[in-house]
Each structure stands twice: as C-alpha cells, then as structure tokens.
Amino acid sequence: MTDYRNDRETVVVKKRSGGTIIAIVVVAALVIVGLLFATGFWSADVTKTGALPEVSVKGGELPKVDLDSKEVVVGTKKTEVDVPKVKTEKETLSVPTVGVKDNGEK
C-alpha cells in the first residue's frame, strides 16, 4: 500500500479591510492631538460657551476659542567638525590585460 502525504505548508494571509485602516488612522490622529494638548504644545482657552440651535431659522453658535501654540524655531550655528579629506594620486602599476589573438596574427 502506498502512503501519499502533502508536505507543503499552507499560509493564510489575512488582509485588513478599509474600515479597519481608517479607524487606525483616526485613533492615531486623536492620540497625537491629545499628546499635543497634554504636553502643553497646544493650549486652548474657551472664552465663550457654545449653544445648541434654537428651534427657529437662526442657527446655533460655536464656542469662541483662543488657541495658543508654541513656536518652532529653526536656524543654523557655526560649529567646528572634523571632516575627512579624500585625496587621489597617480601611480604607474602593471595591470593584467586580456585580448583575443586571431589565427593569422602573430
């Protein structure tokens, strides 16, 4: 009797759906904004409270917010740094050559 076995491995790849990727991006954005407020990089002072719209044609009011953000300053300064110099020189060397000799040549 002959025994037949399948020795190959089967790999199942699970792909994420579009909704999962969008959810991950939204959560990452919320975490970044939360960190900016928690570290003091952003601060917000609410100067007027918001109101829900009345049951009329007039819409509601958004709260007035005074948002202060830190300033990022980018510039340059002079500093001494060791920089390696590469120099080339000419020398005469014997190098191997490869050629093809025709039957009629000497």
Side-chain angles (χ1 to χ4, degrees), residues 3 6 9-10 13 17 28 38 52 56 64 66 69 73 77-78 85 99 106:
D3 186 20
N6 185 358
E9 288 185 31
T10 302
V13 178
S17 65
L52 292 175
S56 66
K64 291 183 180 175
D66 182 21
S69 180
V73 180
K77 68 177 185 175
K78 297 214 182 253
K85 299 285 184 174
K106 290 189 176 183

Side-chain angles (χ1 to χ4, degrees), residues 49-91:
T49 59
L52 292 175
E54 300 291 326
V55 186
S56 66
V57 179
K58 182 183 175 194
E61 295 180 10
L62 292 176
K64 291 183 180 175
V65 177
D66 182 21
L67 181 65
D68 296 323
S69 180
K70 303 285 184 191
E71 182 179 352
V72 177
V73 180
V74 179
T76 60
K77 68 177 185 175
K78 297 214 182 253
T79 304
E80 288 190 20
V81 179
D82 292 333
V83 179
K85 299 285 184 174
V86 178
K87 184 177 173 184
T88 60
E89 297 177 354
K90 291 203 179 232
E91 290 187 21

